[in-house]
Amino acid sequence: IVPSMKRPQILVCNDDGIHGPGLAPLISAMRRIGRVTVSVPEQERSADSHSLTLHKPLRLRRRSPGIYTLNGSPADCARFGVLEILKGRVDLVVSGINCGHNLGCDVVYSGTVAAAMEAALLKIPAIAFSLDPNGKDYRPAAAFAARLARQVLSSGLPPGVCLNVNFPAAARGSY
């Protein structure tokens, strides 16, 4: 990112909810490279797939400046964050860091991946991050997430493409 450029606007989503163990490390890492807004489910919504809430009202709650919870799915959180909270002014959506891998068929059911996919459908570059369930320290994954986010912000992604990144438990504390 060129120093004279404005700081990019990054939307952080997840499916583990406001208390997910990977959320705070991801927010912290993204704040080093841009302005961060958070839109996450008010409770855990793992395996929610790419569902959207259609038959009940969505309630948005501001938890603190720039941090919101929604009573909807992870895809709702991404969609609402991009279109309503940030009014389309989003440079990157990152989802995670999920507690557990999203590999193979898991991506079909993953709320973490669905939030990134929803952003890609909205033509916003997006990355989903997941950590091996045996991984206890999310900081190394968050540090790598920041490096990859910088790369995507500078080089972009093809339209409609999102990345799905899965971390093993860190053997040496970094990736």
Side-chain angles (χ1 to χ4, degrees):
I1 298 170
V2 179
S4 63
M5 292 177 57
K6 68 176 183 77
R7 288 177 51 81
Q9 179 64 61
I10 301 168
L11 177 66
V12 174
C13 301
N14 74 7
D15 73 352
D16 290 330
I18 192 69
H19 301 294
L23 183 60
L26 186 59
I27 291 169
S28 178
M30 293 301 120
R31 282 184 174 154
R32 291 185 198 108
I33 60 174
R35 295 171 290 137
V36 172
T37 300
V38 177
S39 176
V40 296
E42 63 187 9
Q43 60 188 10
E44 183 181 349
R45 298 289 296 260
S46 294
D48 240 9
S49 191
H50 201 134
S51 64
L52 295 176
T53 302
L54 301 176
H55 303 291
K56 69 176 185 177
L58 286 172
R59 290 184 315 276
L60 182 70
R61 186 170 160 208
R62 184 174 176 250
R63 296 289 187 128
S64 59
I67 299 183
Y68 300 87
T69 57
L70 190 68
N71 66 323
S73 69
D76 287 330
C77 291
R79 186 169 191 79
F80 210 85
V82 168
L83 298 175
E84 298 299 323
I85 298 170
L86 295 170
K87 306 292 187 205
R89 295 181 303 271
V90 181
D91 298 301
L92 178 68
V93 173
V94 295
S95 183
I97 299 170
N98 188 64
C99 180
H101 286 143
N102 281 303
L103 302 168
C105 293
D106 292 345
V107 300
V108 174
Y109 304 105
S110 169
T112 303
V113 175
M117 288 174 49
E118 186 63 27
L121 289 171
L122 295 170
K123 299 180 175 41
I124 309 291
I127 313 168
F129 296 102
S130 302
L131 177 65
D132 181 296
N134 296 314
K136 303 297 180 212
D137 186 358
Y138 287 80
R139 292 172 300 175
F144 180 88
R147 290 193 305 274
L148 183 57
R150 281 188 186 99
Q151 181 66 37
V152 168
L153 285 164
S154 68
S155 300
L157 290 173
V161 170
C162 68
L163 301 178
N164 177 32
V165 178
N166 287 272
F167 299 99
R172 292 185 179 84
S174 65
Y175 296 103

